[in-house]
Every structure is written in structure tokens, then in C-alpha cells.
Amino acid sequence: MFVGLGVDFGIQIGVRFQAEHDRSGGVERALRKAAGELGPALLLAAGAICLGFLAFLPTSYIGISELGIIAAVGMVVALVLTATLLPALLTVMRPKPPRPLTLPAALIAFDRHVQRHRRWVIGGFGVLIVASVALLPLVRFDFNPLHLPSDKGEAMTTLKDLMHDPDRNPNSVEILAANRSAAKRLVQRLSHLPEVGSARSVDSFIPDDQDAKLALIADADTLLDLTLNPLTPPALASDAETVVALQQAADAIRVATARSHGAIVSNARRLTASLARLAAATPGARAQTEAKLVAPLGIALGQMRMALSAQPVTLASLPPAIVEDWLAPDGRALVQVLPKSDGNDNASLARFTGAVRRVAPDATGVAVQTQEAAHTVTVAFIQASVLALGSVTLLLLLVLRSLRETMLTLLPVVMSGLLTLATCVLIGQRINFANIIAFPLLFGIGVAFHIYFVMAWRDGASDLLQSSLARAIFFSAVATGTAFGSLWLSSHPGTASMGLILMIALGWTLICALIFAPALLGPPRTFRKVQTDR
């Protein structure tokens, strides 16, 4: 934003200097003339931009508040350098006067057409304003931070795979109950909600009906005891015995599947071929295969022995690390709630958190925090917009001393903002934590552009589209668009959406500045100057 707005000051002075240099013939005289003509407008524009950025200071969004301070200081630095370093460089380098500029006939005809049909132009933009206001309720803020990075990256792909497991959904809701009993009752209530996939507390790690389950496990242990724990372990087979066993297994499979059809036969053939190759292989190959197949089987049998030796589970027998995660020293108990649907879908996530918070209003967690963060950001931008609009309006009233001229300056800025939001609705682009930064830039550039036009108009300028001021505004918008438009090509969806909205905002700002503003201003208020520079 600093580069985009800071370069505007230099472009304004540079283009006006060229226009004056073409007529006066001297560098110093052209600089004095350009400074005299643009100085008040640049000071007013810089002041308005600084007020717009400083309006974020009282908001609760710390990140954008600090950005406001940096941007406001940056505007002061840019203005000082434009007023000191740029003239010094031009004086030292002493550029030659530019070639006389011949304006295209189409531009002259378009400028006159806009002035002759001012009412139609204003009416057309009025229709656009009404349509934009009607679309405002459809603007959506995408509060999900998982939608900002690319879903093709390894990290996001892995996360999405993990999210298919309901127990690994990161968008959980946590509630702190007064004690274990309260947590257990809360789990029972929340588990019946259709939006909830699961709810658990520390008691979820303690199985129900343990006596009946332990009796069944004891019966299974009795039946399988001699199988899993033989009194006399069998002797290890020799390699020759292993070869014979492999051949016998292959023959038995052939006999068993002789009358089978389809996939059973093909699978049996592959298995018997593998067994035959292993029987004909070296003893080392058979030893490697045994290590790969028998060792995991031993682990599985060990796990089965442990499962059959189960003991009653109580809070005291749970691992201390688990108990500490779910129970506080003062007795308060944690309740964790997970959504039933895809946690990456905003609508279902909002329904889930809403349903849980109706039961437990003090619920928190990742799912709640992301939505509350979106609310905080949205409120902060609304507050900052109101403060910025109010402070800039007051500044313009103090300087211009005219309510009408103040409204003529701010109306195109408000219109470009409304048109940008309406365009986002029409193309399906949601506002998110990344691209919302584009709107302060839109306000700063729009205020500056329209201040230049109004200040020139009130000094008697006419044919604004044919002036060096219009060329400077166009070059400034192109320079800013080139810098920020490259973000649109980013593989990061959040950054790309920022570039897209910046391009949309700059496009509407330029249209409002070069078409709507001249039609809105009309003939110059005074006639101290008959015509602007060409």
C-alpha cells in the first residue's frame, strides 16, 4: 500500500512538471509552477489518506491497527520525499522538455460527450449504486483460514485426508464444565444434537457396562488360552521343512480352488505362484520373508493376549497425561465436541457452533475462535470505515469550506467501494482475512484521485479528461495495478484473491474518477482559469 499510494505523489508532480516544462522552457520555473498548482491538493490528499489509515487505531483488530500506523507514517515520508528529493533530482538531472503532446481526437470527443450528457451519465451511475446497495446483503466473509492456502500443497492435502476421520477434525468446540458430573450431563445433551458428531469428556475413556464386558473377555481368554499360550511351544522348523510346507500349501490351494471361477481363481493362481517361487528361492530369501511376515504376526498375537487380560478401567487407572488434559486441579472438567459434517464447510461449521452454543453459551475452541475472529475483523473495518469517512469529511469541510464540494469529493469514493463489493458478489468472490486489506488501499487511492479533480475544478479547470491531471491519475492507477495485479497470479488462493479485488477496486476507482467525477462536477465553479493545461 505504501508503494501504491506513495508513487502517486511522484507521478502527479512528474506529469505536471512535464506539462509545465513543455510551456515554460525552464526546469526551476516548471517545478515552481507544478508545486504551486498541485501543492495544496497533495497536502490535502496526504492528510485525508493518513486520517483514513489512522481510523483503524481505535478498533480491536490489532494487526490492521498497526498497519494503519505504518501506512500513515509512510504517507508522510512519501510526501516529504516527493516535495524535497524529487525536485532536487529533477534540478540536478535537468531533463529536456518533452515533445508536444497531441491528444487523440477520440479522447476529446469522449470528454465533450460526457459533459453534454452529464445527466445520463449520472443517472446511469445512480442505477449502478442502487443495484450495488441491493447486492450488499449478499456479501459474504469467508472466516475459514483453511481456505487461504492452496489445497494442492502437501500440508493441506494431508490435513484434508486426516479430516475425513471425525476424531481428527481440527474445528472442535471446547467447554469447561464445573465438575465431572456436569461434564457427563453436558456430553449426553450435546450428543443428541444432529450437528454434533461426537462429544466426550474424561469419562468417555472409561467404558460403560464393564462387568458384562469383562466377563465376555474372560470367557474368550479361557477358550483361547492354550492356543495363544501353549504349554510346550513348537520347535522351530528347519529350512527344508519350510520348503515342504510351502509346496504343500500351494497344492492345497490348487485343490481347494479347482472348481472355483472368476477372481477367486486368479487370486489363487497368483498366491500359489508366489509360494512356488519362494519354495524355489534361496534360504536367505525365505528368512527375509519370514522376518517380514512372522514378526508382525507375533506383535498381533501379543496385542491379543493383552486385550484378553483386560482389567477394570477407572479414573485412577487412566494415564496421568490423559487425566491432566481433561481435568483441572480444581475439579473443572473439559468437554470436547466435534462436528458431524465436513469441518471445512463454512455453512455446516456455523450451524454446528450455533447449535453447541445454544446449549453452552460459554463454549470456545477453534471453531468458535475462527468465527469470532471474522466478526472482530468485520466490525473493525466497519468502525474504521465510519471513522475514516467522518474524519476525512471533517477535514474536507475545513479546507474546502463547502458541503457540496465535500460531497462531490467523497461520493465517487463511496461509489467505487459499493461497485467493488457488488462485483465480488456477482463473480462469487468472498471477502477473507487476506483480501480485506484491499479496501483501505481503495479508500486512500480514491480519496486522492478525487481531491485532485475537485481542487482543479474549483480553481476553474475545465476539460478535465484532456488535462495532465487525468493522465497522471491514469498512470498512477496503472502503476499501482501493475504492482498489485501480480498478486492475482499467485498460487496462494488468499494472496490471489487480494490481487483480484485490488484490480477490481482500481478499475472501478479509475472509472469513477475519469467518467463519473467529471460528469458530476460539470462546468468549473470559477473562471480564474479558462482551461486546464493540455
Side-chain angles (χ1 to χ4, degrees):
M1 288 193 291
F2 170 72
V3 174
L5 292 172
V7 74
D8 175 64
F9 299 153
I11 289 176
Q12 294 292 333
I13 290 292
V15 173
R16 190 55 180 261
F17 165 78
Q18 280 195 325
E20 298 297 339
H21 196 196
D22 185 24
R23 291 198 296 264
S24 65
V27 173
E28 289 80 4
R29 182 179 176 184
L31 282 172
R32 286 194 297 270
K33 188 72 173 176
E37 294 290 339
L38 282 178
L42 288 177
L43 284 173
L44 183 57
I49 294 173
C50 287
L51 286 177
F53 285 128
L54 292 176
F56 285 94
L57 286 179
T59 66
S60 56
Y61 188 11
I62 297 177
I64 201 68
S65 175
E66 295 175 347
L67 177 62
I69 297 176
I70 296 172
V73 174
M75 291 304 98
V76 175
V77 173
L79 182 64
V80 171
L81 292 177
T82 302
T84 55
L85 181 60
L86 179 58
L89 291 174
L90 291 174
T91 302
V92 172
M93 298 177 68
R94 307 195 71 80
K96 296 180 180 180
R99 296 179 180 179
L101 179 64
T102 302
L103 294 176
L107 178 62
I108 298 175
F110 180 76
D111 188 13
R112 293 173 180 172
H113 181 79
V114 169
Q115 292 301 321
R116 282 197 302 267
H117 301 88
R118 289 180 56 222
R119 295 181 182 274
W120 286 101
V121 174
I122 295 173
F125 276 92
V127 173
L128 291 178
I129 290 180
V130 173
S132 300
V133 172
L135 290 174
L136 282 182
L138 301 179
V139 176
R140 294 292 180 266
F141 190 94
D142 188 354
F143 57 81
N144 198 332
L146 297 180
H147 292 169
L148 295 181
S150 174
D151 57 1
K152 297 180 181 178
E154 183 177 351
M156 286 302 302
T157 302
T158 304
L159 178 60
K160 288 188 174 182
D161 289 341
L162 290 174
M163 289 176 67
H164 290 304
D165 184 351
D167 292 332
R168 286 186 168 87
N169 197 320
N171 293 306
S172 61
V173 171
E174 281 81 34
I175 307 160
L176 201 57
N179 49 55
R180 283 180 60 192
S181 299
K184 196 170 184 178
R185 291 193 299 270
L186 193 57
V187 167
Q188 292 175 350
R189 291 182 60 190
L190 293 172
S191 299
H192 291 89
L193 296 177
E195 297 85 0
V196 172
S198 64
R200 55 196 176 193
S201 66
V202 69
D203 287 291
S204 301
F205 297 92
I206 302 175
D208 297 326
D209 301 325
Q210 292 193 54
D211 293 338
K213 295 175 181 177
L214 288 172
L216 293 175
I217 293 174
D219 291 341
D221 183 38
T222 301
L223 293 174
L224 299 174
D225 181 54
L226 292 178
T227 303
L228 297 175
N229 304 294
L231 297 177
T232 304
L236 296 176
S238 64
D239 183 66
E241 292 173 334
T242 301
V243 171
V244 172
L246 289 171
Q247 293 172 345
Q248 290 176 347
D251 293 338
I253 293 174
R254 292 190 190 96
V255 172
T257 59
R259 297 182 179 181
S260 300
H261 303 280
I264 295 177
V265 175
S266 60
N267 291 334
R269 288 174 180 173
R270 286 197 298 270
L271 180 56
T272 54
S274 299
L275 293 174
R277 284 195 302 269
L278 186 58
T282 63
R286 284 189 290 275
Q288 291 180 355
T289 304
E290 180 180 355
K292 293 179 181 179
L293 296 178
V294 176
L297 177 61
I299 295 174
L301 292 174
Q303 292 174 341
M304 186 176 294
R305 294 187 188 99
M306 292 181 61
L308 292 176
S309 61
Q311 298 295 322
V313 179
T314 63
L315 182 64
S317 65
L318 289 176
I322 293 179
V323 177
E324 291 173 359
D325 286 342
W326 293 86
L327 277 181
D330 59 1
R332 289 179 297 172
L334 177 67
V335 175
Q336 185 183 61
V337 191
L338 296 174
K340 177 180 293 184
S341 57
D342 182 9
N344 206 29
D345 178 68
N346 288 351
S348 60
L349 191 59
R351 289 193 298 269
F352 163 66
T353 54
V356 174
R357 297 185 77 181
R358 282 192 290 272
V359 176
D362 57 345
T364 183
V366 176
V368 176
Q369 291 167 2
T370 54
Q371 295 179 68
E372 289 299 323
H375 176 72
T376 300
V377 171
T378 304
V379 171
F381 270 85
I382 293 175
Q383 292 174 346
S385 300
V386 173
L387 289 174
L389 192 60
S391 59
V392 171
T393 300
L394 182 60
L395 176 64
L396 293 176
L397 284 173
L398 292 175
V399 175
L400 300 179
R401 299 183 181 277
S402 169
L403 179 61
R404 177 172 178 266
E405 293 175 6
T406 299
M407 294 298 102
L408 291 176
T409 304
L410 293 177
L411 183 58
V413 180
V414 175
M415 170 175 282
S416 58
L418 293 175
L419 290 171
T420 300
L421 290 173
T423 304
C424 290
V425 172
L426 293 177
I427 65 175
Q429 176 60 58
R430 294 190 173 192
I431 310 301
N432 55 46
F433 289 108
N435 58 38
I436 198 171
I437 307 298
F439 290 93
L441 176 65
L442 165 66
F443 182 81
I445 290 179
V447 166
F449 286 177
H450 299 300
I451 284 177
Y452 301 147
F453 266 150
V454 171
M455 293 290 284
W457 171 79
R458 74 196 304 265
D459 284 340
S462 60
D463 299 336
L464 291 174
L465 289 182
Q466 305 174 47
S467 66
S468 63
L469 179 59
R471 295 197 297 276
I473 289 176
F474 178 78
F475 294 150
S476 178
V478 170
T480 305
T482 302
F484 287 100
S486 59
L487 300 176
W488 192 3
L489 304 177
S490 172
S491 59
H492 188 277
T495 304
S497 68
M498 183 192 302
L500 173 60
I501 290 186
L502 281 166
M503 294 301 294
I504 295 172
L506 282 171
W508 281 119
T509 299
L510 197 60
I511 291 173
C512 291
L514 298 182
I515 300 177
F516 180 62
L520 190 65
L521 294 173
R525 190 191 66 171
T526 61
F527 296 91
R528 284 181 288 171
K529 291 173 61 178
V530 177
Q531 199 172 23
T532 61
D533 55 276
R534 291 291 197 274

